[in-house]
Amino acid sequence: MSESTTYTGFWQESPRPGILGWLLSTDHKRIGIMYLACIVTMFIVGACLGLALRLELIAPGRTIMDAQTYNATFTVHGIIMIFLFIIPSVPAAFGNLVLPIQIGARDVSFPKINLLSWYCYVSGAILAVFAIFSGGGAPDTGWTFYVPFSTQTTTNVNLAGLAAFMLGFSSILTGINFVTTIHRLRAEGMTWGRLPLFVWTLYATAWIQVLATPMIGITLVLVILERTFGAGLFDAARGGDPILFQHLFWIYSHPAVYIMILPGMGVISEVIPTFARKPLFGYWAMALSSLAIAFAGSLVWAHHMYTSGMSDFAILVFSFLTFIVAIPSAIKIFNWVSTLYKGSIQLAPPMLYALSFIFNFAIGGLGGLALGAAAADIHLHDTTFVVGHFHYTMFGGLGFAFFAALHYWLPKFTGRMYQHKPAVIAWAIVFVGFNITYMAMQAVGIQGMPRRYYDYVPEFTTLNQVATFGSWILAAGLLMMFVNLWLGCRAGDPVGKNPWGAATLEWEVPSPPPLENFGEEDPVVTRGPYEFKGVVADEY
Amino acid sequence: MSIEHRDDTGARFGMWLFLYTEVILFSGLFILYAVALSKFPAQYSEASHKLNIYFGSINTVVLLTSSLTIALALSAIQMNRIRQCLNLCWVTVALAIVFLINKYFEWSAEISHGIYPGSPELAEMGAGVASFFNLYYFTAGLHGLHVLIGATLISIVAIMTAKGKVTSDRFTLLENSALYWHLVDLVWIFLFPLYYLIL
């Protein structure tokens, strides 16, 4: 494509002009871009709250906020990051953008429901913001809404619960859409064995979204009913059971962590073969391990509850099942590393994020085994080790995969390439800052610092300061990364169809793709997703 | 979308997935029921006898009949009998309304006896009885909400049928609404014995 091109693909083509062309669009790419805009905004808000939390913990005692504000801040940080950023991040934004093109479809199966799902997301987001500023103040229960506190606190738990319910509904609709799309709309020749791994992981994710999300819906509704009518279903004095809340909550929320991480693994499985210029090692093992993670991950919820008062036998069973999840996760890590072996590795920005994903996720995953072992968990439960652990998997894992996806696919959808040098520098700062922050958090957690505490004994000061210091480095890196990406999207050099030399279908359509992705003719697929023979990267 | 894309199998597939999420939604309440029943078997039996079995039985008959009428409506449209299909749809909606009216009287009677979530009378009857009625109200309430949604859905589809947007070779919308209605019926088939009959 020549330099002077004015081609702008789906950004220009729309049945309706102006803003309505976006708000009423059923084009999966426009919906994906709208998701992306909301999700990045929410990430920035959540990150600022996280920075405020770290700043408060720079010294014992009160620093910048009082204890109640601190409680509300970590709650809102959690709700925003979990429900508004991580869960929809890769599936809703990049799933919508990429999935239909990757399987050779012109859109998802239910384009209108896709738009409805975005509106559910937006109304959930608005309700969540409302919950902060109205009623009895921002919720202070932690994102887990544990009873009995969540049924007794005077803060705005009802609205926050309703927000999470709406977001769950959005997630379910996206899940139904993706499962149906993958079953029904694959192009001719796009067999199950030729699906890109990103599609496989979205498929597994979508099943969990469909199977598990209603459980959180009903649980949150029960909490709201309990607060409104005083029902007592979770109140032991009135025939209820508070532990049951925890079971119902984690029956969703543990599978939900695989909703969060699986699509990230999919992104990594796309990026690594492309930049190692080798077919993905162990295609079927990778595809099936996604389903295995989805399945086994649904059976381990009670490992969040070792200290809640379960029978020892139940703890034993759940501990064992938790270790089983490590097997498919390890299969993935080993296969990525095997793909790299003797590859022609090109350290482009998406690849750097992908490689650091493997590093971070390995640390987070091994920490997960420490927590999954009942004996170690008794010591580590509710310490900042847990906080460090899930930030390693969620931020170091999914977050980095999200950044990899941004660097990998944004040029496709904006038609412009960002500057590589600042991107690499930003990556290095993010990677270093991230590890300083959360490694310090894990270390101070092993020493015994409880999570969600506003104050701490002086012994923990040094490590807390290291973590806070790291959070500033991290924030600086993120800022640089976003600015660089933004500038790249606005004014970067135009790119051709295939800047990376990748072999999946989305790189065979123009950048940015036109409305309905493919021209007059439906695509016919004749080779696998990682067969690089004859695929050449465009100059840009 | 500018191009006409139609995939009836896909639409049905999506609907089945959605119905599955509904099953999970209700299953949370059934789990609570199972746990509470094993904790308070005697009090659950005592509380169950306070329910009026006539209301429950009539509503069961009403819902089963409505399931039949919507299934017949689906057959009618497949045979291109639009008039008959419309009548059957409206009968289904009418039966749904009968169900809700019946429920209104049932609940009014119970509430007038001081039996409702959070009431002082209920608190005096003991934890097991209170738990039974809390679950009864929430499960039946959620089910009632689904009756309302299903009836609305069927009304919309009936109007679309009258306008010729749902036809003998384009009836997936009616089929999916009927599927939803059968689910509403199915949930009641489990609710009714658990709360009214077996204890």
Side-chain angles (χ1 to χ4, degrees):
Chain A
M1 206 162 295
S2 69
E3 292 271 329
S4 61
T5 178
T6 51
Y7 172 76
T8 45
F10 74 98
W11 295 87
Q12 294 277 307
E13 299 170 62
S14 163
R16 290 184 197 79
I19 188 79
L20 281 185
W22 287 87
L23 293 178
L24 298 177
S25 173
T26 52
D27 177 21
H28 68 96
K29 297 177 290 298
R30 288 197 164 202
I31 294 172
I33 293 288
M34 292 197 291
Y35 262 120
L36 192 61
C38 298
I39 283 163
V40 169
T41 312
M42 283 301 157
F43 175 75
I44 292 170
V45 174
C48 290
L49 293 173
L51 279 173
L53 291 172
R54 276 318 322 163
L55 188 57
E56 168 56 41
L57 290 174
I58 197 168
R62 185 195 159 109
T63 318
I64 57 161
M65 55 177 100
D66 58 41
Q68 178 61 27
T69 313
Y70 180 82
N71 289 347
T73 308
F74 75 65
T75 303
V76 176
H77 169 76
I79 291 174
I80 287 181
M81 284 305 204
I82 299 276
F83 292 112
L84 289 161
F85 170 66
I86 304 179
I87 290 181
S89 62
V90 174
F94 285 104
N96 263 315
L97 283 171
V98 178
L99 167 81
I101 316 185
Q102 276 195 334
I103 63 171
R106 293 175 185 273
D107 208 317
V108 290
S109 269
F110 311 113
K112 285 178 191 154
I113 289 179
N114 204 15
L115 184 65
L116 175 67
S117 155
W118 183 76
Y119 276 102
C120 286
Y121 172 85
V122 171
S123 28
I126 291 171
L127 280 175
V129 173
F130 246 80
I132 303 173
F133 296 109
S134 64
D140 58 350
T141 57
W143 77 276
T144 49
F145 301 110
Y146 265 24
V147 296
F149 183 64
S150 64
T151 54
Q152 288 163 5
T153 176
T154 54
T155 56
N156 215 343
V157 172
N158 287 357
L159 218 49
L162 200 61
F165 184 86
M166 285 304 287
L167 294 167
F169 201 61
S170 158
S171 179
I172 289 176
L173 292 179
T174 304
I176 291 178
N177 224 333
F178 283 3
V179 173
T180 315
T181 306
I182 294 168
H183 272 276
R184 299 292 305 166
L185 295 186
R186 280 171 289 125
E188 196 187 333
M190 179 54 82
T191 56
W192 287 92
R194 284 179 183 160
L195 285 182
L197 248 292
F198 185 56
V199 176
W200 270 109
T201 53
L202 283 177
Y203 183 68
T205 307
W207 271 111
I208 315 177
Q209 284 177 313
V210 172
L211 294 178
T213 315
M215 206 50 126
I216 189 88
I218 192 70
T219 312
L220 291 175
V221 167
L222 287 173
V223 169
I224 295 170
L225 288 174
E226 181 130 3
R227 288 173 62 85
T228 330
F229 297 108
L233 283 173
F234 297 130
D235 180 356
R238 285 178 288 170
D241 188 346
I243 302 291
L244 259 182
F245 170 86
Q246 298 186 17
H247 277 292
L248 291 182
F249 180 84
W250 288 113
I251 285 176
Y252 164 74
S253 296
H254 194 76
V257 312
Y258 302 105
I259 294 179
M260 303 173 199
I261 197 65
L262 274 170
M265 292 172 157
V267 174
I268 304 309
S269 305
E270 295 299 305
V271 170
I272 284 186
T274 300
F275 294 100
R277 307 226 46 86
K278 256 185 72 188
L280 188 72
F281 185 85
Y283 175 89
W284 279 107
M286 287 300 252
L288 297 179
S289 64
S290 308
L291 298 179
I293 289 177
F295 175 73
S298 302
L299 304 174
V300 301
W301 73 88
H303 67 210
H304 296 265
M305 300 165 53
Y306 289 160
T307 61
S308 300
M310 277 195 306
S311 75
D312 286 348
F313 179 71
I315 290 177
L316 199 73
V317 169
F318 279 106
S319 186
F320 173 73
L321 289 171
T322 304
F323 276 72
I324 288 188
V325 185
I327 297 170
S329 310
I331 288 177
K332 287 198 177 286
I333 295 214
F334 288 129
N335 280 2
W336 288 322
V337 175
S338 309
T339 307
L340 292 172
Y341 178 66
K342 286 191 176 171
S344 167
I345 296 171
Q346 181 198 350
L347 289 176
M351 185 63 159
L352 290 170
Y353 280 106
L355 293 176
S356 43
F357 171 98
I358 299 180
F359 179 83
N360 294 337
F361 189 75
I363 294 177
L366 292 172
L369 289 181
L371 290 166
D377 183 67
I378 303 299
H379 173 66
L380 294 171
H381 190 87
D382 264 348
T383 65
T384 56
F385 182 85
V386 178
V387 182
H389 155 71
F390 69 69
H391 280 86
Y392 258 100
T393 52
M394 294 295 109
F395 188 179
L398 189 274
F400 274 61
F402 181 69
F403 302 150
L406 283 174
H407 285 87
Y408 188 58
W409 278 310
L410 270 188
K412 175 89 245 167
F413 289 96
T414 60
R416 292 177 184 278
M417 181 59 77
Y418 48 84
Q419 296 280 326
H420 277 208
K421 207 168 178 186
V424 171
I425 297 171
W427 163 79
I429 301 173
V430 168
F431 182 66
V432 170
F434 170 84
N435 275 293
I436 293 176
T437 310
Y438 296 108
M439 195 51 88
M441 232 185 240
Q442 286 192 326
V444 76
I446 291 175
Q447 290 177 10
M449 166 134 175
R451 71 190 281 203
R452 293 177 171 170
Y453 269 37
Y454 164 76
D455 197 1
Y456 51 84
V457 291
E459 287 88 324
F460 298 146
T461 310
T462 315
L463 279 169
N464 269 300
Q465 283 174 344
V466 171
T468 304
F469 175 65
S471 73
W472 298 336
I473 301 179
L474 179 56
L478 289 176
L479 185 68
M480 185 171 174
M481 182 193 79
F482 279 126
V483 169
N484 182 48
L485 283 174
W486 177 250
L487 292 177
C489 292
R490 301 295 297 174
D493 295 332
V495 291
K497 283 182 178 179
N498 196 354
W500 308 121
T504 40
L505 266 187
E506 77 270 32
W507 306 102
E508 289 181 16
V509 297
S511 312
L515 193 67
E516 294 183 0
N517 310 333
F518 305 96
E520 299 284 307
E521 306 252 318
D522 282 330
V524 177
V525 183
T526 50
R527 58 179 169 77
Y530 309 110
E531 289 172 22
F532 293 101
K533 202 168 186 181
V535 178
V536 190
D538 293 343
E539 294 290 327
Y540 54 86
Chain B
M1 287 289 288
S2 56
I3 50 160
E4 176 72 11
H5 171 75
R6 185 175 158 197
D7 179 10
D8 290 344
T9 312
R12 270 196 298 273
F13 187 96
M15 191 63 196
W16 277 102
L17 284 176
F18 180 72
L19 294 184
Y20 193 84
T21 69
E22 292 278 10
V23 170
I24 299 276
L25 188 76
F26 278 98
S27 74
L29 292 163
F30 285 119
I31 291 174
L32 289 177
Y33 178 93
V35 172
L37 178 65
S38 72
K39 237 159 97 180
F40 312 103
Q43 286 183 307
Y44 258 54
S45 165
E46 178 199 334
S48 172
H49 289 116
K50 291 184 200 292
L51 289 181
N52 188 331
I53 196 163
Y54 296 110
F55 279 120
S57 309
I58 292 169
N59 264 350
T60 307
V61 173
V62 167
L63 266 196
L64 282 177
T65 315
S66 73
S67 239
L68 174 69
T69 53
I70 196 71
L72 289 176
L74 187 59
S75 309
I77 199 152
Q78 282 165 333
M79 289 183 278
N80 206 13
R81 296 180 190 154
I82 303 295
R83 193 67 248 158
Q84 192 187 5
C85 166
L86 279 176
N87 288 339
L88 285 162
C89 281
W90 292 122
V91 170
T92 311
V93 174
L95 286 170
I97 294 169
V98 169
F99 178 91
L100 290 173
I101 292 172
N102 204 359
K103 181 115 285 186
Y104 169 78
F105 283 118
E106 182 185 12
W107 278 23
S108 303
E110 278 151 10
I111 290 170
S112 71
H113 289 124
I115 297 175
Y116 55 89
S119 80
E121 282 94 336
L122 200 57
E124 280 169 20
M125 293 178 191
V129 178
S131 147
F132 177 90
F133 278 106
N134 286 330
L135 270 176
Y136 161 76
Y137 272 103
F138 293 145
T139 319
L142 188 65
H143 177 260
L145 188 66
H146 279 76
V147 171
L148 200 63
I149 295 170
T152 314
L153 208 61
I154 292 170
S155 309
I156 292 171
V157 176
I159 291 167
M160 289 177 75
T161 313
K163 285 185 174 172
K165 284 184 180 160
V166 175
T167 59
S168 59
D169 56 10
R170 201 184 176 89
F171 54 83
T172 313
L173 208 56
L174 178 61
E175 190 176 0
N176 279 347
S177 309
L179 278 176
Y180 186 84
W181 192 251
H182 291 319
L183 176 93
V184 171
D185 193 20
L186 189 72
V187 171
W188 181 258
I189 294 300
F190 281 90
L191 267 181
F192 175 62
L194 282 179
Y195 285 91
Y196 294 81
L197 285 186
I198 59 167
L199 294 169

